[in-house]
Amino acid sequence: MYTVTVRRRQEATGRSSLLGSLPRRGFAVALYKKGQSLNGINVFLKICTQWTEKQTKSALAKARGACFSALLMPKKNTFSPTLIAWFKKIQRPLPWRQDYLPYHVWISEIMLQQTQMDRAVPYFERWMDRFPTIASIADAPEDEILKYWEGLGYYTRARNIRKAALVICAEHGGEFPAEHKAILALPGIGPYTAGAIASLAFGLDVPAIDANVERVYARLFDIDSPIKEKDAKKRVEALSAELLPAGQARDYNQAVMELGALICTPRAPRCESCPVAEHCEARRLDIVAFRPVPGKKKDITPLNVVCGVLEHKGKIYIQKRPQGAVWGGLWEFPGGSIEAGESPEQAVVREFQEETGFQVRIADKISIVRHGYTRFRVTLHCYFLQADAPLPPSTMSAADECLWATPEQITERAFPAGHRKLIDLMRQDLRFSQYI
Ligand code: SF4
């Protein structure tokens, strides 16, 4: 019985009325005196009528904390060793797990924020063949780094890798810093990545909390508020710190993440194969499907856009997006949004003219490409264009560079996902494959 039932007690009459309950189990009402520290199973909470909202919230938070202590204590001795033993048995042989070099852990962690483990391995190997050291990243042009990141999305992360490499070379003599604070100060490295690098590469006792870890703790400890909100986050942080066994952060952090990735998955978790099922509150209460509590869903915005592939004298016009814009530094085929009342055909001719100054006509419709990024669902209408008159130099009103490209030059450059999909489609289409 771990229930905390919260009642408001009238001082004058001694009567109390029910306000609600914290983690819902059984029935336990008693008295919690302000400031009293609790670690028992039955938590007694009094809310005085004259308390301000802030005082009431603080009392509730203390009661919640007491509940967690009660839940945590029996788990502490067996939970972490069981989980670590399971991880040691099932862990997958991955290139960055051979020696846990800080540079390898760093790059793998950034890649794994974009993609599944299996897909990340070939990207990682290709990256390490080309950039075997941190100095080799610092020396490489941004274009090439973006090319090696192509397909992983979120290109800011690739740019930040380069920025961090420059800082490491300038301020740390080319060696990855070993202190948690210094890791956290590098460009593009947030609390999760810093925790992962500190614990995996340097064995520091620092938690690494990603979405997998949040989900696992939300289920194991029946966290009943939206997992992305402050209250739940604080509880996950406290649990991670409390359960992490000293000196074993590398194995423990990976074990929790791996549990989330392989067993305690977002949909249809495999509780029957879970090594810590006996510790799981959500399973015991049969509410696994309701944990974690979802937050407010982000609105998805549909976007209808056009792009044009202009062929002239056997070459294709491409341009480089301006630094600072979305996908800055990547190459693209000119285009943009369809305006109200416009057809896609009118939009592509107008956009091309605005961005390059070229007068073009539609020679063929290529296809419609659908893809999503952040909170947008994009429908990209793609056209093959030609020009009848000789072309002047491009005005480049929405680009930093431009190029009349051969197929080889197109292959060498990095494009956003939608345009890369378009290139792949054109290469399989006999109408266009000779040009691209
Ligand atoms: S028992 Fe099920 S819900 Fe609980 S931690 Fe294991 S897989 Fe997740």
Side-chain angles (χ1 to χ4, degrees):
M1 296 283 253
Y2 302 115
T3 301
V4 180
T5 304
V6 184
R7 304 183 75 92
R8 184 189 295 274
R9 189 164 177 271
Q10 302 279 352
E11 293 294 306
T13 61
R15 286 193 180 160
S16 64
S17 54
L18 187 67
L19 283 182
S21 59
L22 293 171
R24 339 159 273 236
R25 268 161 234 96
F27 188 80
V29 184
L31 189 67
Y32 169 58
K33 292 200 183 87
K34 247 169 96 182
Q36 183 177 325
S37 112
L38 292 168
N39 59 6
I41 286 173
N42 290 326
V43 178
F44 295 75
L45 179 66
K46 175 180 83 170
I47 296 182
C48 298
T49 44
Q50 67 269 35
W51 280 2
T52 60
E53 196 185 332
K54 197 174 163 198
Q55 284 172 310
T56 308
K57 274 190 179 163
S58 147
L60 284 167
K62 279 181 185 160
R64 274 179 194 276
C67 274
F68 271 92
S69 299
L71 283 170
L72 197 59
M73 277 191 300
K75 295 187 203 305
K76 223 176 146 180
N77 294 338
T78 51
F79 174 80
S80 309
T82 308
L83 195 55
I84 290 175
W86 168 80
F87 171 68
K88 285 188 170 163
K89 214 161 79 188
I90 62 92
Q91 65 174 312
R92 294 168 276 182
L94 297 166
W96 50 89
R97 281 187 182 155
Q98 284 169 12
D99 41 22
Y100 287 102
L101 288 178
Y103 171 46
H104 289 181
V105 173
W106 170 37
I107 299 300
S108 68
E109 285 299 336
I110 304 285
M111 285 182 172
L112 287 170
Q113 287 166 21
Q114 326 279 148
T115 189
Q116 299 287 320
M117 193 82 86
D118 295 344
R119 224 180 132 237
V121 171
Y123 273 101
F124 177 86
E125 287 173 335
R126 208 165 67 100
W127 180 280
M128 288 302 160
D129 280 346
R130 169 61 189 88
F131 308 113
T133 59
I134 296 176
S136 61
I137 301 177
D139 291 341
E142 186 179 282
D143 262 358
E144 199 180 0
I145 286 168
L146 293 177
K147 182 65 195 169
Y148 275 77
W149 199 259
E150 191 182 55
L152 285 170
Y154 290 94
Y155 290 86
T156 307
R157 293 190 175 146
R159 278 187 216 100
N160 279 334
I161 288 178
R162 182 159 177 271
K163 283 185 197 159
L166 290 166
V167 172
I168 293 169
C169 289
E171 295 176 16
H172 302 280
E175 294 291 326
F176 207 95
E179 303 79 38
H180 183 229
K181 215 171 144 194
I183 300 172
L184 200 49
L186 292 170
I189 296 195
Y192 162 72
T193 314
I197 298 169
S199 57
L200 270 61
F202 298 106
L204 302 180
D205 285 338
V206 181
I209 301 169
D210 68 353
N212 281 329
V213 175
E214 288 173 343
R215 183 173 62 254
V216 167
Y217 283 136
R219 287 174 176 162
L220 278 166
F221 294 93
D222 182 21
I223 295 177
D224 60 354
S225 55
I227 198 64
K228 293 292 175 197
E229 287 184 7
K230 201 171 149 196
D231 184 43
K233 278 187 173 295
K234 272 170 92 173
R235 281 198 264 167
V236 170
E237 280 165 19
L239 286 164
S240 305
E242 186 77 24
L243 289 166
L244 195 155
Q248 297 185 71
R250 175 188 287 173
D251 286 338
Y252 180 75
N253 284 348
Q254 289 192 93
V256 186
M257 287 188 261
E258 204 83 327
L259 185 71
L262 300 179
I263 305 282
C264 195
T265 47
R267 273 172 228 98
R270 294 164 46 217
C271 299
E272 65 295 343
S273 312
C274 177
V276 286
E278 65 172 290
H279 296 279
C280 183
E281 286 299 302
R283 187 172 195 229
R284 192 175 71 74
L285 297 165
D286 199 19
I287 53 166
V288 171
F290 303 101
R291 295 292 178 268
V293 175
K296 196 171 163 269
K297 273 200 173 160
K298 279 188 193 157
D299 292 337
I300 298 291
T301 309
L303 284 182
N304 264 294
V305 291
V306 291
C307 78
V309 181
L310 173 63
E311 181 272 328
H312 190 62
K313 296 182 180 169
K315 292 187 176 171
I316 298 290
Y317 179 86
I318 57 175
Q319 61 183 20
K320 194 178 192 180
R321 291 184 63 79
Q323 292 293 342
V326 181
W327 299 314
L330 298 189
W331 291 79
E332 66 167 7
F333 306 106
S337 301
I338 303 172
E339 288 184 358
E342 250 184 352
S343 68
E345 290 81 2
Q346 288 167 328
V348 74
V349 171
R350 173 186 55 74
E351 282 286 340
F352 223 95
Q353 218 263 321
E354 284 173 8
E355 292 192 4
T356 63
F358 299 159
Q359 297 291 342
V360 295
R361 63 176 170 82
I362 293 173
D364 211 339
K365 179 165 183 172
I366 305 170
S367 187
I368 290 178
V369 172
R370 291 190 173 81
H371 70 105
Y373 74 96
T374 58
R375 56 183 187 83
F376 299 104
R377 194 174 56 233
V378 180
T379 305
L380 181 63
H381 303 256
C382 313
Y383 294 90
F384 194 63
L385 308 177
Q386 281 172 334
D388 293 328
L391 289 168
S394 170
T395 55
M396 287 204 299
S397 62
D400 281 352
E401 272 179 58
C402 68
L403 180 72
W404 286 99
T406 62
E408 293 72 34
Q409 288 169 320
I410 288 172
T411 303
E412 282 163 10
R413 280 159 176 77
F415 288 78
H419 289 215
R420 179 52 66 187
K421 261 191 200 172
L422 170 61
I423 293 167
D424 292 344
L425 274 176
M426 291 179 75
R427 285 182 173 165
Q428 289 161 24
D429 189 325
L430 289 177
R431 291 176 298 164
F432 313 111
S433 53
Q434 59 184 304
Y435 303 112
I436 201 154

